[in-house]
Each structure stands twice: as structure tokens, then as C-alpha cells.
């Protein structure tokens, strides 16, 4: 009797809250969604304690960026694309020279634990005014 008597005011309070403010349920669902979305997004790359995604992206950036900064002419661009960009973006063998299996293809830099290419890769040319930036010579 006592437990049931205590539960009734709580039920009445919730029913009254929902009846007087119909947006309450929407707000509760939104808060639950926001918490779940944040948890999934936060843990999508292994969470705060897993730094392998950082090291993977830093490794890829290093492989692409460092040689790119040494480009000084059109021939250097084509050399970069053929000898650095394409082999790093679409590797066909592991670090030890062993060829990838069919399931391993499509992982940039040969990192099947983190990134998967979905769709096409493209580059773009941005034209700037003369003297607006320094160019390697």
C-alpha cells in the first residue's frame, strides 16, 4: 500500500507534465539521441584513449605532404602523382612487399584498420595572383 501510494504522485506528475507540455517527450527523445550520437561519434575512431587513428592520419599526411612541398615545376607534379600520390593512395602491397589480398585493396597507405576509400579521389588546381604566395624554385 505505501509503495503504491508513493508511486501514484510520481505517475501523476509525469502525466501532468506531458499533458501540459507536449514538447517534453520530444525534448527527452532529443536528449537521448544527442547522448547516443555523441557517444558514437566520440568512439568512432577508437575513443580518446586510442591514438592509432591520429598516428595513421599523421603517417598518411607525412607521406603525401612532404614530397608535395618539393614540387617546383610541371614535371615534378607528374613525378609526384606517379611515384608518391597514387602508390600511397592505392597501395597494392604490404610494407614487406607481399601483395594485398582482394579484401585489403582500397585502404589508403595500407592501413585497413582505420580508413577505407569510398568513391573517387580527385585533385584540383587553384590559381592565385602572381606574388600572393611563395613558390619553391
Amino acid at each position: 500500500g505505501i509503495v503504491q501510494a508513493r508511486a501514484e504522485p510520481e505517475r501523476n506528475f509525469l502525466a501532468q507534465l506531458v499533458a501540459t507540455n507536449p514538447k517534453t517527450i520530444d525534448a527527452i527523445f532529443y536528449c537521448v539521441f544527442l547522448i547516443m550520437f555523441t557517444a558514437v561519434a566520440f568512439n568512432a575512431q577508437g575513443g580518446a584513449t586510442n591514438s592509432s587513428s591520429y598516428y595513421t592520419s599523421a603517417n598518411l599526411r607525412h607521406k603525401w605532404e612532404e614530397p608535395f612541398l618539393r614540387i617546383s615545376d610541371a614535371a615534378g607534379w607528374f613525378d609526384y602523382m606517379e611515384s608518391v600520390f597514387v602508390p600511397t593512395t592505392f597501395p597494392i602491397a604490404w610494407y614487406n612487399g607481399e601483395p594485398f589480398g582482394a579484401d585489403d585493396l582500397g585502404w589508403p597507405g595500407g592501413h585497413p584498420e582505420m580508413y577505407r576509400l569510398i568513391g573517387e579521389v580527385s585533385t584540383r588546381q587553384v590559381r592565385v595572383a602572381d606574388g600572393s604566395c611563395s613558390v619553391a624554385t
Side-chain angles (χ1 to χ4, degrees):
I2 295 174
V3 174
Q4 203 172 33
R6 288 184 184 164
E8 286 299 321
E10 291 173 6
R11 280 192 213 149
N12 289 338
F13 172 74
L14 288 176
Q16 192 176 29
L17 182 65
V18 170
T20 58
N21 189 0
K23 298 285 183 182
T24 303
I25 291 182
D26 290 341
I28 291 170
F29 280 136
Y30 179 73
C31 288
V32 169
F33 163 77
L34 195 59
I35 290 168
M36 290 173 57
F37 180 80
T38 302
V40 168
F42 183 71
N43 290 312
Q45 291 292 326
T49 58
N50 185 350
S51 59
S52 63
S53 61
Y54 166 76
Y55 291 115
T56 300
S57 63
N59 181 31
L60 287 172
R61 193 175 306 114
H62 174 74
K63 286 180 178 181
W64 280 317
E65 184 178 9
E66 192 172 298
F68 177 78
L69 295 175
R70 292 192 300 260
I71 297 173
S72 61
D73 57 7
W77 169 256
F78 287 104
D79 183 51
Y80 167 78
M81 291 303 288
E82 291 176 348
S83 64
V84 177
F85 187 80
V86 172
T88 301
T89 307
F90 303 105
I92 57 172
W94 290 104
Y95 59 90
N96 60 1
E98 185 178 323
F100 281 163
D103 293 339
D104 299 325
L105 293 173
W107 301 100
H111 294 282
E113 63 275 356
M114 289 294 157
Y115 300 105
R116 176 81 170 154
L117 285 178
I118 300 175
E120 60 193 39
V121 175
S122 62
T123 60
R124 67 184 181 116
Q125 180 183 36
V126 179
R127 296 177 183 250
V128 297
D130 286 342
S132 64
C133 61
S134 61
V135 178
T137 57

